[in-house]
Amino acid sequence: DVLIFQAQEASSIIDGFTFGEVPPEYSGGLGGVGARAIQSFVRGGGRVIAIETATDFVRDLFQLDIASLTADLSDVDFYIPGSILRLDLDESSDIASGMRRETSAWYWGSSMAYEVRDARVRVAARYGSGDPLLSGWVLGGDYIAGQPAILEADIGAGSVVLFGFQPNYRAQTMSTWPLLFNSIRK
């Protein structure tokens, strides 16, 4: 019912490792046939959950008009080496079921906040407005304050959920595991 793509570059998901880089049984990626199978899976009622950089794969696969707000920023303007940020949940989303309106999330180098220009995409959570920092340090936090952190979209009979942060990062995630479990549960 659910496929989960952990943080991995879109090109790596499609192409994988070439023959000779790794043992043969681990070479290759999904390719075009696999990508079309995932599209069919979702449109037929399945769910895909993507985390951090894997969200680019899902964005491209379903032509979602979203982008990373911080992708083009230099480390001089925006940098979060690994900090805990406030996360504001949309209580009307099933992803937030059973949770308080506010929780915390681990944010680091490959995490992202989204710009959403697609009417099919709903925002399930945003990084805290004002100063989102709870623990650690942030340079340029205003770039992501109040911005989308978790997205969801219905595609045909199925859906996709995009996490801009690691909901399952080590022991830091007791506050975000329910978000991942709720997403799996659909």
Side-chain angles (χ1 to χ4, degrees), residues 94-106:
D94 289 340
I95 293 171
S97 179
M99 297 190 67
R100 296 182 185 147
R101 179 165 165 45
E102 186 179 293
T103 191
S104 59
W106 173 257

Side-chain angles (χ1 to χ4, degrees), residues 127-164:
Y127 296 107
S129 58
D131 180 4
L133 182 65
L134 292 175
S135 179
W137 64 274
V138 170
L139 175 63
D142 52 321
Y143 285 106
I144 65 167
Q147 298 300 324
I150 303 174
L151 306 177
E152 54 185 326
D154 295 327
I155 309 286
S159 60
V160 297
V161 176
L162 310 177
F163 281 87

Side-chain angles (χ1 to χ4, degrees), residues 102-113:
E102 186 179 293
T103 191
S104 59
W106 173 257
Y107 192 107
W108 64 332
S110 58
S111 298
M112 58 183 69

Side-chain angles (χ1 to χ4, degrees), residues 3 30-44 48 61-62:
L3 295 174
L30 292 176
V33 172
R36 287 187 295 279
I38 291 171
Q39 287 173 320
S40 182
F41 168 76
V42 170
R43 289 187 174 116
V48 167
L61 191 63
F62 295 103

Side-chain angles (χ1 to χ4, degrees), residues 117-134:
R117 300 174 301 255
D118 193 318
R120 299 174 294 170
V121 176
R122 297 177 305 283
V123 176
R126 295 177 180 275
Y127 296 107
S129 58
D131 180 4
L133 182 65
L134 292 175

